[in-house]
Amino acid sequence: MKIPSYSTDEFPISALEKLTIDHYFPAEGLEELFVNAQTLGNLMVYFDAVDEARVLAVGEAHLLPDRIERVGNRLMMTANNLTRFFQQGQAEKLRIEVHLPAPTRLNIHFGAGVLRLAGGDGSVTIDGGVGEITGYTHAANVHLHLSAGNVALHNLHGQADVKLNIGAITLNWTELSGDKQINAKCNLGNIDLRLPPAIGVKEERGGVCVRKIVDVPYSTYIAAEVSFGGLGVKASKPVPVLV
């Protein structure tokens, strides 16, 4: 299966003249985005909606979501498109853009794809197969699992569990303050912790497993564990601005 790639200059797509999908929904009372997609494509989630939530997409019709509707307090999006993917292939990138109110929680499941987050205060639950998860969130509760691929997230806070079977995890903080309980685990691959200067890190080894713990003031606790691979600590980088 082809894994879609992501480039920051591909979004937003709202300025395009020819959109394959352009749906609006009332933002009032919207509490959750639920996604269940076999082939997700490239999904960008913004949290800038005030009066109306919006779903836009460009791509081939046979790969587009087959259901986009609001049901009660949930915005539902499903794509049972794996068979069509194998039968008809993919000649161009599928790009989906969603605009939500800031408190909207995310409940996203996909087989293959690329997911980019740009803010949001609601809890985040993501369960993916193969692909990438990147960006930043202000959520106090994050639960993320990816079977294979790459995860790169900025300034996680609150409670977060990030698990990856095979691939690479990069977690970046430009500053550390407040309550954080972060756990990151990669079975086979690499974890990079990017931290502000003068942050102490304790390393523990048990056989091939490497575990590093960041314990700083303000009740912040960050633990990272790699079963087979590498675990490094580097200087933090600025958080990219997504517009």
Side-chain angles (χ1 to χ4, degrees), residues 185-188 208-210 225-229:
K185 183 175 181 179
C186 180
N187 291 328
L188 176 60
V208 295
C209 179
V210 180
E225 180 179 320
V226 176
S227 298
F228 296 90

Side-chain angles (χ1 to χ4, degrees), residues 44-47 100-106 108 115-126 133-144 151-162 171-173 180 182 239-240 242:
M44 182 83 191
V45 184
Y46 295 100
F47 295 86
L100 302 168
T104 308
R105 63 181 179 267
L106 301 182
I108 299 177
L115 173 62
R116 179 79 165 179
L117 306 179
D121 303 321
S123 62
V124 175
T125 300
I126 302 171
I133 302 171
T134 60
Y136 59 92
T137 175
H138 308 301
N141 289 283
V142 175
H143 299 277
L144 186 158
V151 176
L153 296 172
H154 299 274
N155 289 331
L156 287 175
H157 68 280
Q159 295 185 345
D161 290 297
V162 180
L171 301 179
N172 178 73
W173 286 272
K180 294 181 179 65
I182 313 293
V239 178
L242 304 178

Side-chain angles (χ1 to χ4, degrees), residues 54-73:
R54 190 180 181 189
V55 179
L56 313 87
V58 290
E60 297 162 277
H62 66 279
L63 295 178
L64 292 170
D66 43 45
R67 181 190 184 195
I68 303 175
E69 65 175 319
R70 178 170 172 174
V71 180
N73 61 1

